[in-house]
Each structure stands twice: as C-alpha cells, then as structure tokens.
C-alpha cells in the first residue's frame, strides 16, 4: 500500500474518498497524528501529516520512528514524502518541484535509527542510494502525465531547524554539493530503509535559500507560505496520478 507523508502546506489530501482516521501507538510512542486511510482513484492510500494536524510539531521534535513504524504497521510498503525546501542552486527557483536522488544529513540529536542496540539489535544498513529508484521513476512519470516537469535528481541537505540557515551555512552546503535544503528528510528516509519501506521524496521549492538569489538579505516567511499553498494544488494532482499508475 502507498503511504503519503505530507509536510508544510499539505496537512491533508482533499480528494481522499471515504477517509477514516486510525489512531496508532508504536513501541516508539505516538506518530505525529492519526493516520488517514482512504481511497484515491479507487486505490487505498494512507496519509500522515508529518508536523501534526495543526502543524505544531517542529522538525527536530517529530517522532520519525513512530511515524515510519505506524505506516509500516498499517501495511504501507511505499512512501512518497512531500516536503518544502529552499533552493540552493540557481536553477531551482520557487515553485520548482524536485525529486532528489541523494541526501546529506546535517541534523543532530534526533532519534535516527531503529537499530540502536536498545530497541533492536545493532545493524548497519546500506544507504548508498537513499531513495528508491523505481518509486522515483513512478513519481517522475506521474509528473509528466500531469503536465509537470519535475526536476530529476539533486542532493537534499537536511538541516536541524527550525531556524533557517545563515548565508555561510548555505554557501558551505553549496560547496558540499547540496541542491536543496529542508529539515525533515532525515532521519525519515533512513528509517524507511531500515524498516523495508521504499521511499522517495517530492520536494517543493518554496524559497531561494538564505543568501541566494532574491534572498540575498533575508528570507520572507510570507513568500514561503504563499508559494507552498499554490504548489500543493499541483502536488495533489501529481499524487493522484502516481496512485493511478501505481495499480495494486
Ligand atoms: N531551509 C530549510 N528548510 C526549508 C527552507 C529553507 O530555506 N525552505 C523550506 N524548508
């Protein structure tokens, strides 16, 4: 079953038919919100609002382990994670949709593994390719079918937040090779890999990253919200198309 994790600006999927709420608990605590199970074009999907129903949970306080565990327990084996990001490279301006193919993790102090030798025995997973190739492909195909040209590939840099970055931090990330910056891709992607969920991200660029382009002097939160709101309508159409082509 396909799971959709919604980030900022995507707290629910309006088109979900016969939605029912499923409150879950996990060995790691409670997920960000109740799961919503419903049908999108006749196919059952499970939705979870990453920051909670009222968008109240800060990125570093999200219980990523509980979220991924709950989705898995509900039968989810593929996850498309929607997340807003800042654009570091100049050709990824606000409104661009990106399907990244790599990650650099700059977060710290998060519960980032199931295999910590406490809850479960220590295990080292392969994470060379952090996103699932076939699921990325399906996402790109769904974009094309929806008349959207999704940017194929890019390095997602995950920062701690909730503050935005300094211009120097973004410069460093650019030198590292990061193309977009967000706060939630890790440890979410790694936990999905650990539990055996195929995971891909659909990133929405909502601002030029700090110090870049039009944001040389600062990032306006109002712009972020407006761009996110407009883009999520396009995201909903792409998600519907993914499900139609998902077919199981
Ligand atoms: N930085 C980090 N996370 C973000 C940004 C940003 O500029 N925009 C949206 N999420």
């Amino acid at each position: 079953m396909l799971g959709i994790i919604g980030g900022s600006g995507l707290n629910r999927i309006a088109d979900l038919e016969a939605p029912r709420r499923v409150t879950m608990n996990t060995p790691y605590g409670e997920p960000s919100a109740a799961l919503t199970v419903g049908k999108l074009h006749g196919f059952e999907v499970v939705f979870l609002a990453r920051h909670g129903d009222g968008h109240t949970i800060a990125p570093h306080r999200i219980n990523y382990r509980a979220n991924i565990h709950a989705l898995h327990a509900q039968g989810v084996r593929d996850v498309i994670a929607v997340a807003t990001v800042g654009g570091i490279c100049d050709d990824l301006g606000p409104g661009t949709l990106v399907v990244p193919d790599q990650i650099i993790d700059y977060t710290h102090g998060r519960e980032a593994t199931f295999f910590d030798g406490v809850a479960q025995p220590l295990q080292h997973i392969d994470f060379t390719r952090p996103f699932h190739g076939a699921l990325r492909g399906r996402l790109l195909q769904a974009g094309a079918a929806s008349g959207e040209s999704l940017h194929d590939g890019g390095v997602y840099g995950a920062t701690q937040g909730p503050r935005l970055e300094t211009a120097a931090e973004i410069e460093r990330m650019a030198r590292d090779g990061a193309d977009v910056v967000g706060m939630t891709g890790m440890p979410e992607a790694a936990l999905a890999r650990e539990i055996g969920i195929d995971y891909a991200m659909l990133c929405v660029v909502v601002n030029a990253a700090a110090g870049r382009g039009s944001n040389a002097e600062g990032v306006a939160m109002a712009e972020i919200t407006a761009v996110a709101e407009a883009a999520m309508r396009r995201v909903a159409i792409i998600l519907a198309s993914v499900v139609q082509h998902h077919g199981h």
Side-chain angles (χ1 to χ4, degrees), residues 82-100 140 148-154 179-181 201-208 223-224 227-228 230-232 234-235 238:
V82 180
T84 61
V85 293
I88 296 177
C89 85
D90 288 338
D91 56 335
L92 301 179
T96 309
L97 302 178
V98 182
V99 181
L140 293 165
E148 294 275 2
S149 61
L150 307 188
H151 187 93
D152 180 359
D179 299 300
V180 294
V181 52
M201 285 188 101
L202 177 54
C203 294
V204 182
V205 180
V206 291
N207 59 283
E223 180 205 351
I224 291 189
V227 175
M232 288 310 163
R234 294 157 56 206
V235 166
I238 294 166

